[in-house]
Amino acid sequence: TGWREDRNGAGFNSPCIGWCTGKIKTTVVYPATEKHLQKYLRQELSLIQETGEDYKKITLPFIESQSFSIQWVYNILEKKAEADRIIYENPDPAHGFVLIPDLKWNQKQVDDLYLIAICHCRGIKSLRDLTAEHLPLLKNISREGKEAIVKRFGIGGAQLRVYLHYQPSYYHLHVHFTALGYDAPGCTVERAHLLSDVIDHLERDSQYYQKCTLTFALRADEPLLKKFQEAGRV
Ligand code: G7M
């Protein structure tokens, strides 16, 4: 099994051990809570097609009603956690970011290279909030992130998959950098949005992500699915 992300915020504070032997990657979670068990159990998935209106009426109120903890993000940005792991930083408060290895990557081999760029600016929840105003930030992440990765790990931009998740697990804008040859969890078409495409869309239409329909999958136990069901949208 591979590492999985946790939309509910449980799981990363618990001791986890992951290791690779040849082609098998194993994850041990101990102690495992009920939430861990639910997370790793196979569940039915439903595809949601969220219009701009759905976002305003269903998803946004849901996000605002939840206490998704993004303290770990602020701790990284404020150098209270993982400061020694930072690969690159552009400190500009509006257009800067921190590039850091993702929790899922042990940095022992570049085959499964996985880093995240976390923007310094607070309040950009997800892809849905992006407008042309954010192009300088997104272009910095793209260019400087790739430059830092080739310098440190020898992997060029053409060998990287650079993308955002929608829905993300954490509503503070961040961008994933993974090795192109690695089928990272969450790089499927119903979740990953290539940063280069995002930049292109915003250059054509500043309001693109407020207007477009975004498709994503939700597990049967996810509260957001219930909200879409109650609204008759699934
Ligand atoms: O886009 P989405 O929200 O799904 O992705 C969040 C990413 O943040 C995942 O790839 C997680 O593995 C990663 N991540 C989560 N936590 C709690 C941490 C952390 O504390 N440190 C680091 N470096 N990455 C994390």
Side-chain angles (χ1 to χ4, degrees):
T1 177
W3 296 92
R4 292 268 307 272
E5 293 114 52
D6 187 348
R7 192 180 299 279
N8 303 316
F12 293 115
N13 296 328
S14 304
C16 299
I17 311 164
W19 69 88
C20 280
T21 49
K23 288 188 177 160
I24 299 171
K25 186 173 181 189
T26 309
T27 303
V28 177
V29 181
Y30 177 84
T33 63
E34 188 54 37
K35 269 192 177 171
H36 289 109
L37 295 176
Q38 287 307 321
K39 185 164 71 124
Y40 288 98
L41 284 175
R42 194 173 286 278
Q43 286 208 36
E44 193 185 340
L45 294 168
S46 298
L47 216 52
I48 305 292
Q49 289 186 291
E50 179 199 76
T51 62
E53 277 302 295
D54 289 335
Y55 176 72
K56 279 190 233 146
K57 288 189 181 147
I58 306 170
T59 312
L60 183 58
F62 170 76
I63 296 168
E64 288 172 343
S65 74
Q66 299 287 304
S67 51
F68 290 112
S69 176
I70 46 173
Q71 193 54 47
W72 69 272
V73 170
Y74 297 150
N75 288 345
I76 290 175
L77 295 176
E78 291 166 13
K79 319 289 167 4
K80 291 180 185 157
E82 304 184 47
D84 53 336
R85 285 165 32 90
I86 293 176
I87 301 297
Y88 174 82
E89 176 172 18
N90 174 335
D92 188 279
H95 302 143
F97 64 97
V98 165
L99 181 71
I100 196 158
D102 191 278
L103 202 69
K104 295 190 285 289
W105 186 38
N106 64 17
Q107 294 187 70
K108 294 216 168 99
Q109 60 288 309
V110 291
D111 306 22
D112 60 343
L113 175 139
Y114 201 147
L115 296 103
I116 44 172
I118 305 173
C119 72
H120 272 300
C121 172
R122 298 189 184 189
I124 313 174
K125 289 185 284 305
S126 75
L127 202 53
R128 278 289 187 201
D129 285 341
L130 293 176
T131 63
E133 179 201 342
H134 303 111
L135 281 168
L137 164 68
L138 299 174
K139 288 182 180 179
N140 284 349
I141 291 178
S142 175
R143 192 187 63 256
E144 296 171 24
K146 286 175 190 168
E147 281 168 7
I149 290 175
V150 77
K151 208 166 156 193
R152 176 70 73 97
F153 302 106
I155 305 289
Q159 274 68 52
L160 291 172
R161 186 185 289 113
V162 186
Y163 56 97
L164 292 87
H165 276 164
Y166 194 78
Q167 298 285 333
S169 311
Y170 302 97
Y171 291 90
H172 174 107
L173 196 82
H174 53 276
V175 175
H176 302 247
F177 288 74
T178 61
L180 189 60
Y182 171 49
D183 286 336
C187 76
T188 49
V189 290
E190 72 277 21
R191 193 160 190 210
H193 297 258
L194 288 175
L195 180 59
S196 53
D197 289 350
V198 172
I199 291 173
D200 186 63
H201 291 149
L202 292 174
E203 277 177 335
R204 290 162 195 273
D205 180 357
S206 174
Q207 302 297 305
Y208 181 89
Y209 286 103
Q210 287 77 60
K211 294 188 287 199
C212 73
T213 293
L214 292 170
T215 301
F216 52 86
L218 290 175
R219 293 197 317 262
D221 69 339
E222 294 197 69
L224 184 57
L225 178 63
K226 200 158 170 245
K227 299 284 174 201
F228 271 84
Q229 284 165 338
E230 285 167 0
R233 292 288 297 123
V234 63

PDB file of all heavy atoms in Angstrom, residues 5 12 72 76 82 85 100-104 114 116 165 168-170 174 176 191, ligand 1:
ATOM      1  N   GLU A   5      -3.431  10.399   1.770  1.00  0.00           N
ATOM      2  CA  GLU A   5      -3.659  11.661   2.463  1.00  0.00           C
ATOM      3  C   GLU A   5      -4.913  11.571   3.300  1.00  0.00           C
ATOM      4  O   GLU A   5      -5.756  10.745   3.062  1.00  0.00           O
ATOM      5  CB  GLU A   5      -3.841  12.805   1.463  1.00  0.00           C
ATOM      6  CG  GLU A   5      -2.603  13.091   0.719  1.00  0.00           C
ATOM      7  CD  GLU A   5      -2.774  12.764  -0.723  1.00  0.00           C
ATOM      8  OE1 GLU A   5      -3.748  13.235  -1.320  1.00  0.00           O
ATOM      9  OE2 GLU A   5      -1.950  12.021  -1.243  1.00  0.00           O
ATOM     10  N   PHE A  12      -1.320  12.042  10.524  1.00  0.00           N
ATOM     11  CA  PHE A  12       0.057  12.426  10.364  1.00  0.00           C
ATOM     12  C   PHE A  12       0.740  12.733  11.691  1.00  0.00           C
ATOM     13  O   PHE A  12       1.926  12.921  11.739  1.00  0.00           O
ATOM     14  CB  PHE A  12       0.181  13.597   9.394  1.00  0.00           C
ATOM     15  CG  PHE A  12      -0.203  13.178   8.018  1.00  0.00           C
ATOM     16  CD1 PHE A  12      -1.305  13.702   7.389  1.00  0.00           C
ATOM     17  CD2 PHE A  12       0.534  12.197   7.376  1.00  0.00           C
ATOM     18  CE1 PHE A  12      -1.652  13.287   6.129  1.00  0.00           C
ATOM     19  CE2 PHE A  12       0.181  11.775   6.113  1.00  0.00           C
ATOM     20  CZ  PHE A  12      -0.917  12.323   5.498  1.00  0.00           C
ATOM     21  N   TRP A  72      -0.146  22.821  10.576  1.00  0.00           N
ATOM     22  CA  TRP A  72       1.142  22.276  10.110  1.00  0.00           C
ATOM     23  C   TRP A  72       1.725  23.136   8.984  1.00  0.00           C
ATOM     24  O   TRP A  72       2.943  23.299   8.881  1.00  0.00           O
ATOM     25  CB  TRP A  72       1.005  20.811   9.671  1.00  0.00           C
ATOM     26  CG  TRP A  72       0.204  20.583   8.431  1.00  0.00           C
ATOM     27  CD1 TRP A  72      -1.143  20.396   8.347  1.00  0.00           C
ATOM     28  CD2 TRP A  72       0.692  20.515   7.072  1.00  0.00           C
ATOM     29  NE1 TRP A  72      -1.529  20.224   7.039  1.00  0.00           N
ATOM     30  CE2 TRP A  72      -0.423  20.287   6.239  1.00  0.00           C
ATOM     31  CE3 TRP A  72       1.952  20.619   6.493  1.00  0.00           C
ATOM     32  CZ2 TRP A  72      -0.314  20.153   4.853  1.00  0.00           C
ATOM     33  CZ3 TRP A  72       2.061  20.493   5.100  1.00  0.00           C
ATOM     34  CH2 TRP A  72       0.940  20.265   4.310  1.00  0.00           C
ATOM     35  N   ILE A  76       5.266  25.324   9.112  1.00  0.00           N
ATOM     36  CA  ILE A  76       6.340  25.260   8.100  1.00  0.00           C
ATOM     37  C   ILE A  76       6.688  26.678   7.641  1.00  0.00           C
ATOM     38  O   ILE A  76       7.862  27.064   7.605  1.00  0.00           O
ATOM     39  CB  ILE A  76       5.933  24.373   6.900  1.00  0.00           C
ATOM     40  CG1 ILE A  76       5.887  22.900   7.336  1.00  0.00           C
ATOM     41  CG2 ILE A  76       6.885  24.565   5.721  1.00  0.00           C
ATOM     42  CD1 ILE A  76       5.383  21.925   6.280  1.00  0.00           C
ATOM     43  N   GLU A  82       9.934  21.533  10.499  1.00  0.00           N
ATOM     44  CA  GLU A  82      10.587  21.101   9.254  1.00  0.00           C
ATOM     45  C   GLU A  82      11.521  22.152   8.647  1.00  0.00           C
ATOM     46  O   GLU A  82      11.837  22.077   7.455  1.00  0.00           O
ATOM     47  CB  GLU A  82       9.537  20.666   8.218  1.00  0.00           C
ATOM     48  CG  GLU A  82       8.612  19.556   8.728  1.00  0.00           C
ATOM     49  CD  GLU A  82       7.623  19.045   7.677  1.00  0.00           C
ATOM     50  OE1 GLU A  82       8.047  18.772   6.535  1.00  0.00           O
ATOM     51  OE2 GLU A  82       6.430  18.912   8.016  1.00  0.00           O
ATOM     52  N   ARG A  85      14.355  21.095   6.620  1.00  0.00           N
ATOM     53  CA  ARG A  85      14.055  20.326   5.406  1.00  0.00           C
ATOM     54  C   ARG A  85      13.755  21.216   4.198  1.00  0.00           C
ATOM     55  O   ARG A  85      13.570  20.718   3.088  1.00  0.00           O
ATOM     56  CB  ARG A  85      12.851  19.395   5.662  1.00  0.00           C
ATOM     57  CG  ARG A  85      13.215  18.194   6.508  1.00  0.00           C
ATOM     58  CD  ARG A  85      12.025  17.445   7.085  1.00  0.00           C
ATOM     59  NE  ARG A  85      10.804  17.395   6.341  1.00  0.00           N
ATOM     60  CZ  ARG A  85      10.478  16.449   5.440  1.00  0.00           C
ATOM     61  NH1 ARG A  85      11.311  15.470   5.171  1.00  0.00           N
ATOM     62  NH2 ARG A  85       9.317  16.489   4.830  1.00  0.00           N
ATOM     63  N   ILE A 100       9.332  22.154  -0.037  1.00  0.00           N
ATOM     64  CA  ILE A 100       9.738  21.215   1.015  1.00  0.00           C
ATOM     65  C   ILE A 100       9.371  19.788   0.603  1.00  0.00           C
ATOM     66  O   ILE A 100       8.373  19.600  -0.106  1.00  0.00           O
ATOM     67  CB  ILE A 100       9.032  21.635   2.342  1.00  0.00           C
ATOM     68  CG1 ILE A 100       9.676  20.980   3.555  1.00  0.00           C
ATOM     69  CG2 ILE A 100       7.548  21.393   2.332  1.00  0.00           C
ATOM     70  CD1 ILE A 100       9.406  21.714   4.847  1.00  0.00           C
ATOM     71  N   PRO A 101      10.152  18.783   0.999  1.00  0.00           N
ATOM     72  CA  PRO A 101       9.749  17.409   0.659  1.00  0.00           C
ATOM     73  C   PRO A 101       8.400  17.079   1.287  1.00  0.00           C
ATOM     74  O   PRO A 101       8.142  17.457   2.427  1.00  0.00           O
ATOM     75  CB  PRO A 101      10.857  16.541   1.287  1.00  0.00           C
ATOM     76  CG  PRO A 101      12.023  17.458   1.422  1.00  0.00           C
ATOM     77  CD  PRO A 101      11.455  18.825   1.669  1.00  0.00           C
ATOM     78  N   ASP A 102       7.548  16.426   0.532  1.00  0.00           N
ATOM     79  CA  ASP A 102       6.255  15.982   1.052  1.00  0.00           C
ATOM     80  C   ASP A 102       6.509  14.928   2.131  1.00  0.00           C
ATOM     81  O   ASP A 102       7.489  14.181   2.073  1.00  0.00           O
ATOM     82  CB  ASP A 102       5.427  15.366  -0.082  1.00  0.00           C
ATOM     83  CG  ASP A 102       3.980  15.132   0.316  1.00  0.00           C
ATOM     84  OD1 ASP A 102       3.695  14.109   0.967  1.00  0.00           O
ATOM     85  OD2 ASP A 102       3.142  15.980  -0.029  1.00  0.00           O
ATOM     86  N   LEU A 103       5.582  14.895   3.077  1.00  0.00           N
ATOM     87  CA  LEU A 103       5.647  13.914   4.162  1.00  0.00           C
ATOM     88  C   LEU A 103       5.807  12.483   3.639  1.00  0.00           C
ATOM     89  O   LEU A 103       6.409  11.638   4.272  1.00  0.00           O
ATOM     90  CB  LEU A 103       4.329  14.016   4.936  1.00  0.00           C
ATOM     91  CG  LEU A 103       4.269  13.522   6.353  1.00  0.00           C
ATOM     92  CD1 LEU A 103       5.087  14.427   7.254  1.00  0.00           C
ATOM     93  CD2 LEU A 103       2.831  13.492   6.816  1.00  0.00           C
ATOM     94  N   LYS A 104       5.270  12.227   2.468  1.00  0.00           N
ATOM     95  CA  LYS A 104       5.255  10.855   1.931  1.00  0.00           C
ATOM     96  C   LYS A 104       6.589  10.439   1.310  1.00  0.00           C
ATOM     97  O   LYS A 104       6.757   9.286   0.949  1.00  0.00           O
ATOM     98  CB  LYS A 104       4.155  10.716   0.875  1.00  0.00           C
ATOM     99  CG  LYS A 104       2.761  10.872   1.409  1.00  0.00           C
ATOM    100  CD  LYS A 104       1.713  10.488   0.384  1.00  0.00           C
ATOM    101  CE  LYS A 104       1.520  11.520  -0.691  1.00  0.00           C
ATOM    102  NZ  LYS A 104       0.867  12.761  -0.264  1.00  0.00           N
ATOM    103  N   TYR A 114       8.922  13.627  -4.391  1.00  0.00           N
ATOM    104  CA  TYR A 114       7.642  14.269  -4.083  1.00  0.00           C
ATOM    105  C   TYR A 114       7.906  15.467  -3.174  1.00  0.00           C
ATOM    106  O   TYR A 114       8.338  15.322  -2.039  1.00  0.00           O
ATOM    107  CB  TYR A 114       6.716  13.258  -3.382  1.00  0.00           C
ATOM    108  CG  TYR A 114       5.236  13.572  -3.427  1.00  0.00           C
ATOM    109  CD1 TYR A 114       4.299  12.550  -3.484  1.00  0.00           C
ATOM    110  CD2 TYR A 114       4.761  14.875  -3.404  1.00  0.00           C
ATOM    111  CE1 TYR A 114       2.939  12.810  -3.532  1.00  0.00           C
ATOM    112  CE2 TYR A 114       3.403  15.154  -3.457  1.00  0.00           C
ATOM    113  CZ  TYR A 114       2.499  14.117  -3.504  1.00  0.00           C
ATOM    114  OH  TYR A 114       1.144  14.383  -3.558  1.00  0.00           O
ATOM    115  N   ILE A 116       6.371  19.588  -2.060  1.00  0.00           N
ATOM    116  CA  ILE A 116       5.247  20.517  -2.192  1.00  0.00           C
ATOM    117  C   ILE A 116       5.748  21.950  -2.032  1.00  0.00           C
ATOM    118  O   ILE A 116       6.665  22.218  -1.247  1.00  0.00           O
ATOM    119  CB  ILE A 116       4.095  20.244  -1.176  1.00  0.00           C
ATOM    120  CG1 ILE A 116       4.626  19.976   0.226  1.00  0.00           C
ATOM    121  CG2 ILE A 116       3.188  19.129  -1.656  1.00  0.00           C
ATOM    122  CD1 ILE A 116       3.523  19.894   1.282  1.00  0.00           C
ATOM    123  N   HIS A 165      -4.149  19.813  -6.377  1.00  0.00           N
ATOM    124  CA  HIS A 165      -5.285  18.920  -6.148  1.00  0.00           C
ATOM    125  C   HIS A 165      -6.580  19.712  -6.039  1.00  0.00           C
ATOM    126  O   HIS A 165      -6.617  20.769  -5.422  1.00  0.00           O
ATOM    127  CB  HIS A 165      -5.135  18.184  -4.805  1.00  0.00           C
ATOM    128  CG  HIS A 165      -4.290  16.957  -4.879  1.00  0.00           C
ATOM    129  ND1 HIS A 165      -3.772  16.355  -3.753  1.00  0.00           N
ATOM    130  CD2 HIS A 165      -3.892  16.202  -5.927  1.00  0.00           C
ATOM    131  CE1 HIS A 165      -3.085  15.280  -4.106  1.00  0.00           C
ATOM    132  NE2 HIS A 165      -3.130  15.180  -5.429  1.00  0.00           N
ATOM    133  N   PRO A 168      -8.454  19.696  -2.515  1.00  0.00           N
ATOM    134  CA  PRO A 168      -7.249  19.413  -1.735  1.00  0.00           C
ATOM    135  C   PRO A 168      -7.641  18.822  -0.380  1.00  0.00           C
ATOM    136  O   PRO A 168      -8.823  18.839  -0.021  1.00  0.00           O
ATOM    137  CB  PRO A 168      -6.644  20.807  -1.557  1.00  0.00           C
ATOM    138  CG  PRO A 168      -7.819  21.725  -1.530  1.00  0.00           C
ATOM    139  CD  PRO A 168      -8.861  21.104  -2.453  1.00  0.00           C
ATOM    140  N   SER A 169      -6.678  18.339   0.353  1.00  0.00           N
ATOM    141  CA  SER A 169      -6.955  17.900   1.726  1.00  0.00           C
ATOM    142  C   SER A 169      -6.870  19.088   2.673  1.00  0.00           C
ATOM    143  O   SER A 169      -7.494  19.083   3.727  1.00  0.00           O
ATOM    144  CB  SER A 169      -5.925  16.869   2.185  1.00  0.00           C
ATOM    145  OG  SER A 169      -5.768  15.869   1.226  1.00  0.00           O
ATOM    146  N   TYR A 170      -6.060  20.095   2.284  1.00  0.00           N
ATOM    147  CA  TYR A 170      -5.804  21.241   3.148  1.00  0.00           C
ATOM    148  C   TYR A 170      -6.047  22.510   2.347  1.00  0.00           C
ATOM    149  O   TYR A 170      -5.465  22.674   1.263  1.00  0.00           O
ATOM    150  CB  TYR A 170      -4.361  21.208   3.664  1.00  0.00           C
ATOM    151  CG  TYR A 170      -4.076  19.934   4.423  1.00  0.00           C
ATOM    152  CD1 TYR A 170      -3.448  18.856   3.802  1.00  0.00           C
ATOM    153  CD2 TYR A 170      -4.480  19.800   5.743  1.00  0.00           C
ATOM    154  CE1 TYR A 170      -3.218  17.669   4.489  1.00  0.00           C
ATOM    155  CE2 TYR A 170      -4.260  18.623   6.438  1.00  0.00           C
ATOM    156  CZ  TYR A 170      -3.624  17.566   5.810  1.00  0.00           C
ATOM    157  OH  TYR A 170      -3.413  16.399   6.490  1.00  0.00           O
ATOM    158  N   HIS A 174      -1.236  25.069  -2.243  1.00  0.00           N
ATOM    159  CA  HIS A 174       0.057  24.398  -2.360  1.00  0.00           C
ATOM    160  C   HIS A 174       0.073  23.625  -3.681  1.00  0.00           C
ATOM    161  O   HIS A 174      -0.964  23.270  -4.232  1.00  0.00           O
ATOM    162  CB  HIS A 174       0.297  23.460  -1.173  1.00  0.00           C
ATOM    163  CG  HIS A 174      -0.799  22.483  -0.943  1.00  0.00           C
ATOM    164  ND1 HIS A 174      -1.935  22.806  -0.223  1.00  0.00           N
ATOM    165  CD2 HIS A 174      -0.971  21.212  -1.352  1.00  0.00           C
ATOM    166  CE1 HIS A 174      -2.750  21.770  -0.200  1.00  0.00           C
ATOM    167  NE2 HIS A 174      -2.194  20.781  -0.882  1.00  0.00           N
ATOM    168  N   HIS A 176       1.975  20.435  -5.956  1.00  0.00           N
ATOM    169  CA  HIS A 176       2.715  19.175  -5.844  1.00  0.00           C
ATOM    170  C   HIS A 176       3.745  19.077  -6.971  1.00  0.00           C
ATOM    171  O   HIS A 176       3.435  19.383  -8.127  1.00  0.00           O
ATOM    172  CB  HIS A 176       1.758  17.980  -5.972  1.00  0.00           C
ATOM    173  CG  HIS A 176       0.667  17.974  -4.946  1.00  0.00           C
ATOM    174  ND1 HIS A 176       0.577  17.024  -3.956  1.00  0.00           N
ATOM    175  CD2 HIS A 176      -0.380  18.803  -4.736  1.00  0.00           C
ATOM    176  CE1 HIS A 176      -0.477  17.265  -3.196  1.00  0.00           C
ATOM    177  NE2 HIS A 176      -1.078  18.339  -3.660  1.00  0.00           N
ATOM    178  N   ARG A 191      -8.437  14.379 -10.014  1.00  0.00           N
ATOM    179  CA  ARG A 191      -7.958  15.163  -8.869  1.00  0.00           C
ATOM    180  C   ARG A 191      -6.823  16.153  -9.184  1.00  0.00           C
ATOM    181  O   ARG A 191      -6.740  17.214  -8.574  1.00  0.00           O
ATOM    182  CB  ARG A 191      -7.496  14.217  -7.759  1.00  0.00           C
ATOM    183  CG  ARG A 191      -7.289  14.959  -6.471  1.00  0.00           C
ATOM    184  CD  ARG A 191      -7.309  14.082  -5.262  1.00  0.00           C
ATOM    185  NE  ARG A 191      -7.340  14.883  -4.064  1.00  0.00           N
ATOM    186  CZ  ARG A 191      -6.818  14.514  -2.900  1.00  0.00           C
ATOM    187  NH1 ARG A 191      -6.257  13.337  -2.787  1.00  0.00           N
ATOM    188  NH2 ARG A 191      -6.890  15.295  -1.863  1.00  0.00           N
TER     189      ARG A 191
HETATM  190  O1  G7M B   1      -3.300  18.770  -2.147  1.00  0.00           O
HETATM  191  P1  G7M B   1      -3.504  18.007  -0.877  1.00  0.00           P
HETATM  192  O2  G7M B   1      -4.076  18.902   0.199  1.00  0.00           O
HETATM  193  O3  G7M B   1      -4.288  16.783  -1.100  1.00  0.00           O
HETATM  194  O4  G7M B   1      -2.064  17.539  -0.415  1.00  0.00           O
HETATM  195  C1  G7M B   1      -1.476  17.799   0.830  1.00  0.00           C
HETATM  196  C2  G7M B   1      -0.083  17.218   0.828  1.00  0.00           C
HETATM  197  O5  G7M B   1       0.578  17.635   2.011  1.00  0.00           O
HETATM  198  C3  G7M B   1      -0.065  15.702   0.840  1.00  0.00           C
HETATM  199  O6  G7M B   1       0.721  15.235  -0.255  1.00  0.00           O
HETATM  200  C4  G7M B   1       0.541  15.337   2.197  1.00  0.00           C
HETATM  201  O7  G7M B   1       1.363  14.196   2.175  1.00  0.00           O
HETATM  202  C5  G7M B   1       1.350  16.561   2.523  1.00  0.00           C
HETATM  203  N1  G7M B   1       1.498  16.787   3.959  1.00  0.00           N
HETATM  204  C6  G7M B   1       0.531  16.666   4.885  1.00  0.00           C
HETATM  205  N2  G7M B   1       1.026  16.997   6.099  1.00  0.00           N
HETATM  206  C7  G7M B   1       0.276  16.990   7.333  1.00  0.00           C
HETATM  207  C8  G7M B   1       2.347  17.330   5.931  1.00  0.00           C
HETATM  208  C9  G7M B   1       3.373  17.757   6.843  1.00  0.00           C
HETATM  209  O8  G7M B   1       3.186  17.920   8.052  1.00  0.00           O
HETATM  210  N3  G7M B   1       4.588  18.014   6.270  1.00  0.00           N
HETATM  211  C10 G7M B   1       4.835  17.855   4.927  1.00  0.00           C
HETATM  212  N4  G7M B   1       6.061  18.110   4.477  1.00  0.00           N
HETATM  213  N5  G7M B   1       3.871  17.459   4.069  1.00  0.00           N
HETATM  214  C11 G7M B   1       2.641  17.186   4.568  1.00  0.00           C
END
